[in-house]
Structure formats: C-alpha cells, structure tokens
Amino acid sequence: MSVLIFIDQSEGHIKKSSLEVITYGVAVAKQLNVSAEGIVLGTVANDALIQLGKYGVQKIYHIANEKLNHVDAQLYAKQIADTATANNSSVIIISQNQTGKAIAGRVAAKLKAGLVAGAIALPDTTNGFVVKKSVFSGKAFANVNITSAIKVISLNPNSFHIKQTEGTAEIVTVNANVAEPKVKVTAVNKVSGEVPLTEAEIVVSGGRGLKGPENWGMLEELAKTLHAATACSRPVADAHWRPHHEHVGQTGIQVAPNLYIAIGISGAIQHLAGVNRSKVIVVINKDPEAPFFKAADYGIVGDAFEVVPKLTEEIKKLKTA
Amino acid sequence: MKILVCISKTPDTTSKIAFKDGNTKFEDAGVQWIINPYDEWYSLVRAIELKEKDASTIIHLVTVGGADCDPVIRKALALGGDEAIRVNTDSSDSFYIAAQIAEIAKQGNYDLVFTGKETIDYNGSSVGAMVAELIDAPYISLATKFELNGTTAIVNREIEGGEEVNEVALPVVVSCQKGVAEQRIPNMRGIMAARTKPLKVVEPTVVDTLTNIVSFELPPAKAGVKLVPADNVAELVRLLHEEAKAI
Ligand SMILES: Cc1cc2nc3c(=O)[nH]c(=O)nc-3n(C[C@H](O)[C@H](O)[C@H](O)COP(=O)(O)OP(=O)(O)OC[C@H]3O[C@@H](n4cnc5c(N)ncnc54)[C@H](O)[C@@H]3O)c2cc1C
Ligand SMILES: Nc1ncnc2c1ncn2[C@@H]1O[C@H](COP(=O)(O)O)[C@@H](O)[C@H]1O
C-alpha cells in the first residue's frame, strides 16, 4: 500500500504547489503507516527529483516521455492511474491547480475512486476517511467522507505549509507506453516575468477606486517591492483596464495567498468569494463603510493615491534595513 | 452538430450561507436558486452562439437533480437550447453525477459536451473531467475561448501563469469560464418558447456513490479589522512584519 503524489512540473521546474502536495501526501502516508511515493511526468533532471526527498517522499516514479511535457488530461490520467494500480496505491494526491482541475476528475473516474476536490486539511481517519474541503466559494467548509477503496484528494493551493525534512528520494525510471496525444497544443502564451497569481504568496489587487488603467503603475511598483502578483476586481477587467486573467472573485480566479492587499475595492460578496481564503487581508479604501473592512485584518481608511506610494516606500525601507 | 450543455443549479451568489439539521444540510429556506453562472453565462451562451451560426445545431441541456431544478432548467431553455433532460436523483458526489451525465452523453452521441468551470456551491471543478473519462473523450479544462472549424475545436485554455491554444477533433468535453461568451438576458420570446420545449425526466442509472458529506461548518469569524491611521503607514508595515509575519 502507498500514497501516490502527483508532482506537477512545468518546463522541468517543480511547482511550489507540488511541494505542498508532497508535504501533504507524506503526512497522509504517515497517518496510514504506508510509504509516500511520487509520480513525475515529462522531462525533469534527475538531480531535481532526488532533491524532492527533502520533503519526505521516498520513491518517485518518473515517466520521462516527451509526449508528457505538455499537460494532456487523457494521457496524464492514464499514467497516474496505471502507476497507482501497479503500485497498489490507496490514496492519490493531486494539487487543485490548473493541472489538477484538468486531471483529478479523470484519474478518479478511471480508478472508480471517490474524489474530494479542493481539500484544505489532512483527512480524519478516526471514523471513515473524512476530508475537509472548501465549499460555497470559500464561505464554508464541508467534511466529506470517501467511501471507496481507492481515494483521490486534490489539495487547494496555499492551504498546506511546505515542510522540509531530510532524505533523498529513490528515482524509478518507468518506460511506459504513451499514446499519441489527441489534443494538439498550437500556442503557449505565458505572462513572463510576473509571479503567477495562483502561486503567489502575496497579491496586490486594485478596484474601480483606482479610476483608470493609467494609475496601475503605483500598484505594480508595490507588487514588485513585495515580489507579489497583481490582481483586480471584475469591473476593472471588464473595462479592460487590466487583463482578464487578473480578475479574482466568484467568477474569476480564486486565490489564497498569505497576504492580500485590496486597494480601492469595495468588497462585494462576489469579490470576497475569490479572496476570503487569504491568510491576512489588508484593505485600503477611502470609504470607512466599505464592506471589505469587515473581512479585513488590517485597514487604512484613506486615499489610495496617497497611501500606496507611502506603503511602497516603507516596505522598501524594511527590506533594506 | 449536437451539443450537450450541463446545467446545475446553485444558490444565488449573494445568498446567506447557513446550515440545518445539525449542520448536515444546506439551509435553503429563502434561498433564490439560479443557473450556476459558469454554466449559464459561458457554456450555454456559447452553445447558443454556435447554433446561431449554424441553424442545424441541436442543443440539449442536462441536469442531475430533483424536481426543484425545473424552474432553473426552464430558465436555461428560455435562453436557448432545444430540449432538456433531467436525471431525477439528488447527490453531492461528483462521480455519481458525472456517471449520470456520461450515460446521457453516450445515448445522445454528442459532438460536444460543455460544462461550467465549476459549481459555485461545491467548487469541485471535476465533473467535466469525469464525464470525459467515462465517455473516453479528450477534455479541455478552463476554456477562455472556443471556436469550431468544421469538426475541429480550437480552444484557448487557462494554464498556470498564462494560456495555451489547443486543437482537437470532436467529440470533446470542454469546461467553460469567462471569455468563452458574454452573459445574456432571456427575452420574452424565449421565455414563451421555453414553456413548450420538452423537459424529459429520466430515472438514474445505478452507480455507486463514492463520497458523502458528513457535515458543514462555517469559517471562524474574523477578529475584526485593526485600523491604522492614513498618516502612519509605517505602523501598518510594522504590524504586517512583526505581528502578522506576512512580509
Ligand atoms: C453573479 C455576479 C458575479 C460577480 N463576480 C465577481 C467577481 O468574480 N469578482 C469581482 O470583483 N466582482 C464580481 N462581481 C461584481 C461585484 O458585485 C462588484 O460589483 C465588484 O466587485 C465591484 O468592484 P470594485 O470594488 O472594484 O468597484 P466599486 O464597487 O465601484 O468600489 C470601488 C471602491 O473604491 C473606493 N475608492 C474610490 N476612490 C478611492 C480612492 N481614491 N482611494 C481608495 N479607495 C477609493 C470606493 O470607496 C469603493 O469602495 C459579480 C457580480 C455578480 C452579480
Ligand atoms: N448536478 C449536475 N447536473 C448537471 N451538470 C452538473 C451537475 N453538477 C455539476 N455539473 C456540471 O459540471 C460542472 C463542474 O461542476 P463541479 O465539478 O461540481 O464543480 C458544472 O459547472 C456543471 O456544468
């Protein structure tokens, strides 16, 4: 028996969300007293894989087929399910990131395994196998019992702390048959140089209070100082002040960073639904009655155009101190 | 071209979230039910646009749920679509739901199955992937743009930190989000027409439920905001650094 952890990579680089699922999967394995094993698909340097032992994973199955360098839901699900079956894995852990959303359901259906998608805590195994997950767009949690023999958990990004221990992982190179992908990737457009929103530790977000796209310079400056990603409210994206992929909320992207700084955003319920899992929320708004203050940990009632440049300056001071 | 659009019902986005029966059930008293926004605004509207371009297109809607879903399905029919199928069963298990949809999908031989990116109540983002697996079709998740060129679908989809463009021969299952289409409002003609459109109710196929919800809980209440005067930004930075340890 084992716990199988899907370790997501992009261009040979192991994602931060993968370190989270490894830490989580290792903890589940310990709970069940079974071994923690990983699976990596596509080209990744062996050294990078051995390093993952530091996070407690004991063995990694590496299927280095080039056809797997791109995420293809069908091919990925087959490799993960086959590896799980071959190694008698009873629990499979996947990150609920973009890749996870493409494949977790497929893996689960292939194995006829119950799936908890968007888990935020370790399973409670005292009475069944109960996993807590986020529901109602972050407004509540559900405790879900998985009753099937094989179980799949996809873990919400940023909901489990990465822990380093000691050790090196044994790498098992697997020569698997990989079919021709049915989906052809004809273009990849990555926003280069920016911190991906869903991976960011800190998010700086702006709303209609900023008046226009020309005023985003000060937000970008603040974001750069904090090594943060930038985000925005829906009307801002709708008005094309900012690109659509920055829109957070119920109908946009859901984020859960350590720190979310909301500037000139009123805090409508649909906006909160995308950000309320953030650990610390800071609100800067000139209206003391703005609903966002009710969801905030820290706030400044004031004009963003005055407060934000000062904030950037003070943070620079802190960083150079 | 035959399109199957998966429609689920969810509480209105502004609903108060509360639970009953010892926190085992969602408190639905006074809750306004709507079509899950991703299903309505993006997948359904895109399907209607495809039909507007090619009148021979047939759109079927499928929902897995009890009779309380009917008003929501009628609303979806009012927006567009030719007929609706309701699988008469209620479950929160995504595998069980997907298996029901897959059964309908197999029987109807659809070229295209659209789902929303996720339901805004269960937030699984997984039913589409499961349906694709169960009917052995490719799956393109989190689409932001969808075009057809004959029997090839050209789809932009969200990946971490960007987008990619995919090309795939039909049949395919696609989960839709913002960008795929723009929200529409049903007009009077559509509402009248919806009354006479068929809404077939079928009984579920026998499938195991693999998960069940034991209980719900609300997040702990926030301690309350700590306000810092606007002329003392340095204090905010100190708090974030020393107290919250967030920077
Ligand atoms: C079904 C549905 C889904 C939705 N989904 C989303 C979603 O996913 N994401 C989302 O964001 N919204 C969503 N919305 C829209 C949401 O209801 C709000 O309309 C939106 O979030 C408001 O954006 P805003 O806060 O930027 O603008 P506003 O509500 O206009 O707020 C602007 C704020 O800026 C403040 N301000 C003005 N000037 C300054 C200044 N100089 N300095 C500091 N503060 C200033 C004002 O006091 C105000 O609080 C959805 C709505 C619906 C109905
Ligand atoms: N009960 C249901 N009936 C029909 N379609 C559903 C149902 N539940 C989910 N779906 C579809 O699957 C998508 C993803 O749902 P979920 O995996 O629950 O986030 C939704 O946007 C719907 O299109």
Side-chain angles (χ1 to χ4, degrees):
Chain A
M1 294 272 266
S2 65
V3 168
L4 184 67
I5 304 155
F6 169 65
I7 301 168
D8 193 15
Q9 59 107 358
S10 170
E11 290 159 28
H13 162 81
I14 304 292
K15 294 181 184 171
K16 179 188 147 218
S17 52
S18 294
L19 304 181
E20 291 169 3
V21 284
I22 293 173
T23 308
Y24 182 91
V26 165
V28 175
K30 201 172 255 168
Q31 235 175 310
L32 301 174
N33 208 7
V34 299
S35 66
E37 303 179 344
I39 173 169
V40 173
L41 303 177
T43 315
V44 184
N46 222 45
D47 284 353
L49 297 182
I50 294 170
Q51 292 292 319
L52 294 176
K54 278 199 306 225
Y55 301 94
V57 61
Q58 290 148 318
K59 193 192 255 185
I60 292 173
Y61 304 102
H62 184 199
I63 306 174
N65 195 304
E66 280 180 11
K67 286 181 213 156
L68 300 172
N69 285 354
H70 248 103
V71 178
D72 179 291
Q74 221 162 0
L75 300 184
Y76 267 47
K78 177 164 167 43
Q79 296 305 331
I80 297 167
D82 285 356
T83 304
T85 306
N87 299 291
N88 202 9
S89 313
S90 55
V91 182
I92 295 132
I93 317 281
I94 297 171
S95 171
Q96 180 77 339
N97 60 3
Q98 284 90 342
T99 308
K101 287 175 183 171
I103 64 172
R106 283 201 92 115
V107 171
K110 213 174 189 68
L111 294 168
K112 227 173 165 282
L115 166 68
V116 172
I120 57 146
L122 285 170
D124 178 352
T125 48
T126 50
N127 189 6
F129 191 96
V130 178
V131 189
K132 187 186 283 198
K133 68 158 287 187
S134 177
V135 287
F136 295 102
S137 306
K139 287 177 243 170
F141 305 109
N143 295 302
V144 183
N145 190 17
I146 310 183
T147 49
S148 53
I150 302 173
K151 300 161 174 75
V152 180
I153 301 173
S154 66
L155 180 71
N156 261 348
N158 278 338
S159 55
F160 207 75
H161 264 294
I162 298 167
K163 233 195 313 198
Q164 278 205 30
T165 50
E166 297 269 297
T168 47
E170 176 199 346
I171 311 302
V172 182
T173 308
V174 182
N175 271 322
N177 251 332
V178 180
E180 275 310 312
K182 288 191 195 159
V183 178
K184 215 166 73 194
V185 180
T186 56
V188 180
N189 311 315
K190 284 209 182 172
V191 208
S192 58
E194 288 176 31
V195 184
L197 191 49
T198 44
E199 286 217 350
E201 301 269 356
I202 303 178
V203 174
V204 173
S205 188
R208 214 147 48 173
L210 288 168
K211 308 285 188 285
E214 66 281 5
N215 297 327
W216 244 265
M218 62 179 190
L219 250 76
E220 278 168 353
E221 180 71 20
L222 174 60
K224 216 173 91 199
T225 312
L226 286 167
H227 194 62
T230 47
C232 67
S233 68
R234 183 170 136 197
V236 164
D238 283 351
H240 304 291
W241 294 0
R242 299 296 294 174
H244 277 304
H245 65 252
E246 286 197 359
H247 156 201
V248 293
Q250 182 120 53
T251 45
I253 289 176
Q254 283 87 43
V255 295
N258 284 332
L259 176 60
Y260 184 81
I261 305 180
I263 302 164
I265 304 175
S266 57
I269 193 159
Q270 297 93 354
H271 185 86
L272 296 181
V275 306
N276 54 13
R277 291 190 294 111
S278 310
K279 295 219 171 64
V280 178
I281 294 180
V282 174
V283 170
I284 298 167
N285 196 305
K286 70 172 185 193
D287 174 10
E289 302 297 320
F292 221 144
F293 283 117
K294 289 207 180 69
D297 300 283
Y298 300 96
I300 290 186
V301 178
D303 185 349
F305 295 94
E306 285 164 26
V307 174
V308 174
K310 272 196 224 152
L311 184 57
T312 308
E313 200 182 304
E314 289 298 333
I315 291 166
K316 277 186 183 155
K317 271 194 221 158
L318 174 78
K319 299 238 158 172
T320 51
Chain B
M1 175 74 50
K2 269 186 93 179
I3 308 176
L4 183 66
V5 181
C6 301
I7 298 287
S8 52
K9 81 169 199 326
T10 50
D12 175 51
T13 54
T14 55
S15 301
K16 182 176 169 0
I17 304 302
F19 304 101
K20 62 181 179 186
D21 297 355
N23 285 330
T24 58
K25 287 207 177 70
F26 175 61
E27 175 57 85
D28 50 3
V31 165
Q32 173 95 25
W33 295 97
I34 58 167
I35 311 171
N36 185 43
Y38 293 103
D39 307 351
E40 175 184 345
W41 303 353
Y42 311 124
S43 50
L44 177 56
V45 173
R46 189 65 192 132
I48 296 166
E49 287 170 354
L50 294 171
K51 191 180 166 88
E52 285 165 353
K53 268 199 217 154
D54 172 5
S56 69
T57 305
I58 297 169
I59 303 173
H60 287 177
L61 315 180
V62 62
T63 200
V64 181
D68 52 344
C69 293
D70 288 350
V72 166
I73 305 186
R74 286 274 175 223
K75 189 183 166 208
L77 282 172
L79 279 161
D82 300 296
E83 65 173 68
I85 305 152
R86 177 166 66 78
V87 184
N88 187 27
T89 174
D90 215 5
S91 174
S92 64
D93 180 46
S94 22
F95 178 78
Y96 181 87
I97 294 168
Q100 304 303 330
I101 296 172
E103 193 57 35
I104 302 292
K106 277 184 209 157
Q107 287 167 12
N109 244 327
Y110 297 92
D111 302 292
L112 197 54
V113 179
F114 273 154
T115 75
K117 163 185 148 173
E118 65 177 38
T119 44
I120 63 168
D121 47 4
Y122 290 114
N123 307 119
S125 213
S126 47
V127 166
M130 289 179 172
V131 171
E133 185 59 39
L134 294 169
I135 64 171
D136 197 24
Y139 176 55
I140 300 187
S141 52
L142 310 179
T144 54
K145 189 164 178 237
F146 181 92
E147 297 294 340
L148 271 180
N149 181 4
T151 55
T152 303
I154 301 148
V155 193
N156 291 35
R157 74 177 188 101
E158 180 194 321
I159 56 171
E160 222 148 7
E163 264 192 11
E164 64 180 38
V165 184
N166 288 174
E167 275 186 33
V168 64
L170 304 179
V172 61
V173 180
V174 179
S175 81
C176 302
Q177 62 165 332
K178 189 176 165 165
V180 166
E182 297 279 343
Q183 184 179 7
R184 285 191 185 185
I185 305 208
N187 57 26
M188 211 48 213
R189 230 178 83 217
I191 295 168
M192 297 304 286
R195 293 196 184 151
T196 54
K197 285 181 184 171
L199 196 173
K200 276 195 232 159
V201 179
V202 300
E203 289 310 309
T205 46
V206 180
V207 189
D208 289 339
T209 305
L210 308 179
T211 63
N212 62 279
I213 294 177
V214 183
S215 62
F216 290 98
E217 43 189 275
L218 292 170
K222 283 253 175 191
V225 60
K226 237 183 218 179
L227 288 177
V228 177
D231 57 9
N232 196 0
V233 177
E235 173 62 4
L236 175 67
V237 173
R238 188 194 68 79
L239 286 169
L240 288 177
H241 181 60
E242 290 174 12
E243 188 178 87
K245 302 203 183 340
I247 58 176

